[in-house]
């Protein structure tokens, strides 16, 4: 690959007491890539993502995101990334457009930029009529799409999505992935964790975590060839069936 | 600063949209401020007294009349024996027993000495103490009356006589409302300021929205300021409502300037909100925040001199109370409302509150972790 790396980790480790949530993760994500982060519950996906977003301090190892060091330049990183957690985290007592305005505002966008972005975003999501609706009153599927759009409202280099389609119906999931592709086409690097193996097929490359370590990492097609199976589901099963950890 | 603008815009929108909360925040303290001072009164009335009159003389009858007419006592019964009188105390029918022994009148006229016995039920300490004190002063009065009536038998002009006449400065009629209403307002602000600011942040933790804030490059002190300012405004509105109620219901018009009052209220709220914000950084749930807040609110409100004089506390307690913003603000409120104190007079307390506030808010900013 001739593109530049936007996320580089070297033996990135997180310990909680004697428990090693992430053990010496070493990988690299390239610009514009859709990078899938797979793993069973408790495998350490979310912990790894939180370290890269600057929400959690690593115990050891190195990592840079958008060229900035996670230990010393967390705030520079935060300016360059978007994040959508598995918990819905827009303000449900603010309207759709107030949420966009608020998050645009605290990322330092100008009021005129926010206005432009808001109308573009609303028409893209076909939410124009709901601009003044409180977020708590819109259907869950719309909320997820809105949350994703808000997480990239400030035009970040990288967006981190932590199980973004949890509890969403298949049609909305499909639409959600259309949004992800659109963002990737515009050059945004997408780092996404998921449980859904069909979603793994949409990724350029996937890493499969088992018990805190990366068990394998490659393009979905190559992984299937390597394990001589026909679906990512089977690849995952081949790697994760020996997992020791059960729940998170 | 632009970030702060967007934060404040968001907070005010959310606050104004939360009608339920606004209603609770204004109506509850309003009711408390109207009702509490009516009950929180030091003057003891309706002390139940049982009389054991063994003398049955005109003097003893007159004395009992005098006690009855004082308005402080309620004669709940006459006992024939001391045992009977004690039984009345045991049944909670009497707080005090006045025993007028046999030959009281005779001893008074013959030897100029009469002995009376007062037994006090000390289970309700304040009532008993004050009741006893009232009774003694009525009896003293009565004593002087007798002397006047019978005329001095052998007046000696040189006999030393000390008469203490006390006058109550700043509150000549010892109107307890003047004293209690400002202090009760402070205790209400203490609870609301520290709890609401704490709950607000912890709510964001519970909903998970704070994580969305934590992945932005927002500065920690900006975030804390964004929480502090809306509640400061809310607190000042509540304070204004309190002043209006004090005037409308109790006719209390502060002698001092409103500038001093509002200036000190701002500094006070700054420190109490700082406590709330600090507690929020240590709590993961509203329940935890509530328990922590209650711990401090109870201590602040009970030890800050609303009901009991700080000066009579042990030294360690006095030192401790110096760190309570509530205590400083109560002193300021009382002296501004009753005495008309100005900024110069209240400088010490203002400085103390500002310092406490600075420490608490800085601590809150430092302890607020965007990165776990």
């Amino acid at each position: 690959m001739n593109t530049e790396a936007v996320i580089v980790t070297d033996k990135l480790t997180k310990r909680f007491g004697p428990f090693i949530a992430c053990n010496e993760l070493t990988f690299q994500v390239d610009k514009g890539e859709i990078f899938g982060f797979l793993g069973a519950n408790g495998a350490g996906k979310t912990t790894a993502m939180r370290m890269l977003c600057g929400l959690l301090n690593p115990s050891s190892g190195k990592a840079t995101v958008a060229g900035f060091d996670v230990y010393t330049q967390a705030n520079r990183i935060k300016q360059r990334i978007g994040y959508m957690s598995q918990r819905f985290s827009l303000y449900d007592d603010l309207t759709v457009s107030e949420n966009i305005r608020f998050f645009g505002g605290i990322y330092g966008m100008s009021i005129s930029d926010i206005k432009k972005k808001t109308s573009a975003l609303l028409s893209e999501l076909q939410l124009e009529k709901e601009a003044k609706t409180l977020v708590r009153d819109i259907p869950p599927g719309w909320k997820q799409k809105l949350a994703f759009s808000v997480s990239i409202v400030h035009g970040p280099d990288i967006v981190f999505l932590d199980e973004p389609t949890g509890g969403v119906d298949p049609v909305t999931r499909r639409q959600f992935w259309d949004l992800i592709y659109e963002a990737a086409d515009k050059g945004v690097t997408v780092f996404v964790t998921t449980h859904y193996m069909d979603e793994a097929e949409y990724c350029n490359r996937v890493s499969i975590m088992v018990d805190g370590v990366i068990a394998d990492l490659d393009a979905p097609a190559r992984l299937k060839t390597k394990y001589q199976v026909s679906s990512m589901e089977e690849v995952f099963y081949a790697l994760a069936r020996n997992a020791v950890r059960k729940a998170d | 600063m632009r970030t702060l603008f967007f934060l404040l815009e968001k907070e005010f929108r959310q606050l104004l949209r939360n009608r339920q909360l606004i209603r609770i925040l204004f109506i509850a303290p309003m009711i408390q401020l109207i009702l509490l001072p009516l009950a929180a009164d030091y003057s003891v009335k309706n002390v139940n007294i049982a009389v054991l009159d063994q003398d049955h003389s005109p003097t003893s009858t007159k004395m009992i009349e005098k006690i009855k007419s004082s308005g402080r006592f309620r004669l709940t019964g006459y006992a024939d024996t001391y045992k009977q009188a004690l039984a009345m105390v045991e049944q909670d029918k009497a707080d005090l027993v006045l025993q007028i022994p046999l030959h009281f009148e005779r001893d008074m006229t013959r030897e100029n000495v009469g002995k009376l016995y007062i037994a006090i039920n000390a289970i309700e300490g304040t009532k008993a103490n004050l009741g006893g004190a009232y009774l003694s002063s009525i009896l003293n009065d009565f004593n002087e009356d007798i002397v006047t009536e019978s005329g001095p038998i052998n007046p000696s002009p040189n006999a030393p006589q000390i008469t203490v006449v006390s006058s109550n400065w700043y509150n000549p009629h010892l109107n307890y409302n003047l004293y209690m209403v400002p202090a009760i307002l402070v205790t209400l602000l203490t609870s609301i300021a520290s709890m609401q600011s704490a709950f607000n942040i912890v709510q964001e933790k519970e909903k998970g929205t704070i994580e969305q804030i934590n992945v932005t490059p927002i500065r920690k002190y900006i975030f804390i300021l964004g929480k502090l300012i809306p509640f400061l405004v809310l607190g000042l509105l509540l304070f204004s409502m309190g002043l209006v109620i004090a005037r409308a219901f109790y006719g209390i018009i502060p002698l001092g300037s409103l500038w001093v009052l509002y200036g000190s209220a701002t500094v006070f709220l700054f420190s109490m909100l700082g406590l709330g914000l600090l507690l929020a950084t240590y709590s993961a749930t509203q329940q935890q925040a509530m328990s922590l807040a209650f711990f401090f609110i109870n201590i602040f409100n009970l030890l800050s001199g609303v009901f009991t004089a700080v000066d009579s506390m042990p030294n360690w307690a006095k030192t401790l109370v110096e760190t309570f913003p509530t205590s400083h603000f109560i002193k300021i409120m009382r002296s501004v409302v009753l005495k008309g104190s100005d900024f110069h007079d209240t400088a010490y307390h203002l400085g103390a509150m500002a310092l406490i506030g600075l420490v608490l808010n800085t601590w809150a900013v430092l302890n607020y972790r965007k990165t776990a």
Side-chain angles (χ1 to χ4, degrees):
Chain A
M1 264 178 237
N2 54 359
T3 43
E4 50 178 313
V6 287
I7 301 173
V8 181
T9 73
D10 183 20
K11 296 188 175 172
L12 189 65
T13 301
K14 180 68 189 179
R15 285 184 214 93
F16 295 106
F19 178 75
I20 303 173
C22 293
N23 196 1
E24 303 199 340
L25 307 184
T26 302
F27 62 93
Q28 145 171 357
V29 180
D30 297 319
K31 190 172 170 11
E33 198 176 17
I34 300 178
F35 188 85
F37 217 59
L38 275 54
N41 288 335
K45 305 186 300 280
T46 301
T47 306
M49 182 178 268
R50 290 171 64 83
M51 283 193 283
L52 297 175
C53 290
L55 287 173
L56 201 61
N57 278 320
S59 307
S60 64
K62 283 184 225 157
T64 58
V65 175
F68 299 112
D69 186 75
V70 290
Y71 291 96
T72 54
Q73 296 172 301
N75 251 14
R76 305 282 293 273
I77 291 175
K78 284 171 181 175
Q79 186 63 48
R80 301 304 329 145
I81 62 166
Y83 171 75
M84 179 183 168
S85 73
Q86 45 187 302
R87 291 165 80 186
F88 177 74
S89 48
L90 294 181
Y91 289 95
D92 62 4
D93 50 354
L94 292 181
T95 68
V96 172
S97 56
E98 283 166 359
N99 265 293
I100 301 172
R101 178 183 165 91
F102 171 66
F103 283 106
I106 59 173
Y107 275 110
M109 290 170 71
S110 71
I111 302 234
S112 65
D113 276 355
I114 291 174
K115 281 195 176 135
K116 266 184 253 161
K117 197 83 195 195
T118 304
S119 57
L121 204 151
L122 289 176
S123 74
E124 193 183 313
L125 294 175
Q126 296 169 329
L127 270 175
E128 288 108 326
K129 283 183 192 152
E130 310 296 333
K132 289 191 171 127
T133 309
L134 292 184
V135 164
R136 72 161 78 102
D137 295 329
I138 64 172
W142 291 107
K143 281 190 197 171
Q144 299 293 92
K145 287 190 273 183
L146 179 64
F148 174 69
S149 302
V150 169
S151 72
I152 55 168
V153 72
H154 56 294
D157 295 340
I158 309 157
V159 63
F160 291 90
L161 309 172
D162 193 3
E163 290 173 23
T165 54
V168 168
D169 69 75
V171 178
T172 313
R173 261 170 64 198
R174 185 66 239 196
Q175 291 170 343
F176 194 91
W177 274 89
D178 287 342
L179 289 176
I180 293 181
Y181 272 113
E182 233 169 274
D185 283 346
K186 288 178 192 156
V188 180
T189 307
V190 180
F191 187 104
V192 55
T193 70
T194 182
H195 280 313
Y196 298 108
M197 290 307 134
D198 58 329
E199 289 186 351
E201 309 264 4
Y202 302 147
C203 300
N204 300 124
R205 283 193 305 151
V206 296
S207 120
I208 298 177
M209 271 188 89
V210 178
D211 288 348
V213 297
I214 293 180
D216 213 335
L217 191 166
D218 214 331
R222 294 168 63 139
L223 284 173
K224 282 185 277 190
T225 317
K226 181 173 171 187
Y227 292 93
Q228 296 178 333
V229 291
S230 59
S231 71
M232 280 305 293
E233 187 109 34
E234 291 165 280
V235 172
F236 182 75
Y237 188 68
L239 286 166
R241 70 178 147 206
N242 297 323
V244 181
R245 291 182 201 162
K246 288 283 183 274
D248 47 356
Chain B
M1 279 306 109
R2 276 173 39 84
T3 316
L4 185 59
F5 164 77
F6 284 104
L7 269 176
L8 291 178
E9 184 186 60
K10 165 206 158 244
E11 291 299 333
F12 278 112
R13 273 187 175 140
Q14 289 180 304
L15 265 179
L16 292 176
R17 216 159 262 162
N18 200 343
R19 293 283 156 81
Q20 193 93 10
L21 179 71
I22 296 279
R23 240 174 276 153
I24 296 170
L25 282 188
F26 280 88
I27 294 178
M30 192 162 87
I31 295 173
Q32 286 174 300
L33 192 60
I34 294 172
L35 291 183
L36 292 182
L38 295 176
D41 191 328
Y42 288 124
S43 53
V44 172
K45 290 167 197 132
N46 305 326
V47 180
N48 296 320
I49 185 167
V51 175
L52 171 58
D53 183 1
Q54 295 164 320
D55 194 35
H56 295 290
S57 61
T59 310
S60 72
T61 314
K62 237 165 116 188
M63 180 185 283
I64 293 166
E65 272 315 305
K66 171 118 187 162
I67 292 167
K68 268 159 74 180
S69 62
S70 73
R72 303 251 186 228
F73 297 95
R74 196 160 53 193
L75 194 64
T76 44
Y78 291 95
D80 295 323
T81 62
Y82 194 74
K83 219 173 159 186
Q84 238 177 30
L86 273 184
M88 290 171 82
V89 172
E90 273 165 18
Q91 290 159 20
D92 256 344
K93 283 183 190 154
D95 303 309
L96 284 177
V97 175
L98 173 68
Q99 187 186 4
I100 307 169
L102 192 63
H103 306 314
F104 173 72
E105 189 183 53
R106 196 191 67 195
D107 293 351
M108 278 291 278
T109 40
R110 278 199 201 154
E111 299 162 32
N112 221 1
V113 173
K115 272 192 178 161
L116 289 169
Y117 300 97
I118 303 173
I120 302 171
N121 174 8
I123 285 184
E124 274 206 59
T126 320
K127 201 175 181 184
N129 271 331
L130 285 170
Y134 286 146
L135 191 57
S136 306
S137 84
I138 290 170
L139 296 176
N140 270 337
D141 237 27
F142 183 75
N143 206 4
E144 282 168 25
D145 285 353
I146 298 181
V147 174
T148 327
E149 266 175 40
S150 55
I153 301 161
N154 190 9
S156 55
N158 299 328
Q161 251 200 336
I162 298 172
T163 318
V164 180
V165 180
S166 61
S167 65
N168 299 300
W169 280 28
Y170 311 121
N171 189 359
H173 304 295
L174 271 187
N175 175 350
Y176 284 106
N177 289 334
L178 272 179
Y179 185 71
M180 292 309 290
V181 173
I184 287 175
L185 178 57
V186 176
T187 64
L188 294 177
L189 284 179
T190 297
S191 343
I192 290 173
S194 54
M195 283 207 283
Q196 292 308 319
S197 57
F199 288 177
N200 183 284
I201 291 195
V202 176
Q203 238 166 30
E204 291 222 25
K205 283 189 185 177
E206 285 185 337
K207 285 188 180 165
T209 47
I210 202 161
E211 202 163 87
Q212 206 63 47
I213 301 274
N214 288 345
V215 289
T216 70
I218 195 169
R219 301 241 156 234
K220 295 199 288 181
Y221 76 91
I222 296 278
F223 177 77
I224 295 287
L225 270 180
K227 292 291 181 190
L228 185 79
I229 294 170
F231 286 100
L232 189 65
V233 172
L234 193 81
L236 287 176
L237 283 175
L238 276 168
F239 181 67
S240 313
M241 186 190 75
L243 293 183
V244 169
I245 288 176
R247 183 166 186 161
F249 285 81
Y250 296 101
I252 297 173
I253 300 168
L255 280 179
S257 86
L258 286 178
W259 284 110
V260 183
L261 283 180
Y262 275 88
S264 354
T266 307
V267 179
F268 168 69
L269 286 167
F270 168 70
S271 59
M272 285 315 298
L273 290 169
L275 175 72
L277 298 172
L278 175 63
L279 297 183
T281 64
Y282 280 105
S283 320
T285 64
Q286 291 195 63
Q287 202 174 10
Q288 288 173 10
M290 172 110 89
S291 313
L292 272 176
F294 267 136
F295 173 76
F296 287 101
I297 290 168
N298 276 336
I299 294 179
F300 283 13
N301 285 352
L302 287 176
L303 289 190
S304 287
V306 187
F307 304 105
T308 47
V310 176
D311 288 333
S312 47
M313 291 178 189
N315 278 330
W316 60 264
K318 270 191 255 186
T319 315
L320 187 69
V321 171
E322 281 295 293
T323 66
F324 300 171
T326 309
S327 159
H328 293 290
F329 193 40
I330 285 176
K331 286 200 181 115
I332 293 177
M333 280 290 279
R334 282 179 173 159
S335 65
V336 174
V337 170
L338 291 162
K339 268 201 308 203
S341 298
D342 56 22
F343 275 120
H344 186 260
D345 303 323
T346 55
Y348 168 73
H349 298 297
L350 268 175
M353 289 196 304
L355 185 69
I356 298 163
L358 215 57
V359 169
L360 291 174
N361 281 287
T362 311
W363 189 352
V365 171
L366 292 176
N367 196 53
Y368 164 41
R369 299 244 175 277
K370 283 178 73 184
T371 307

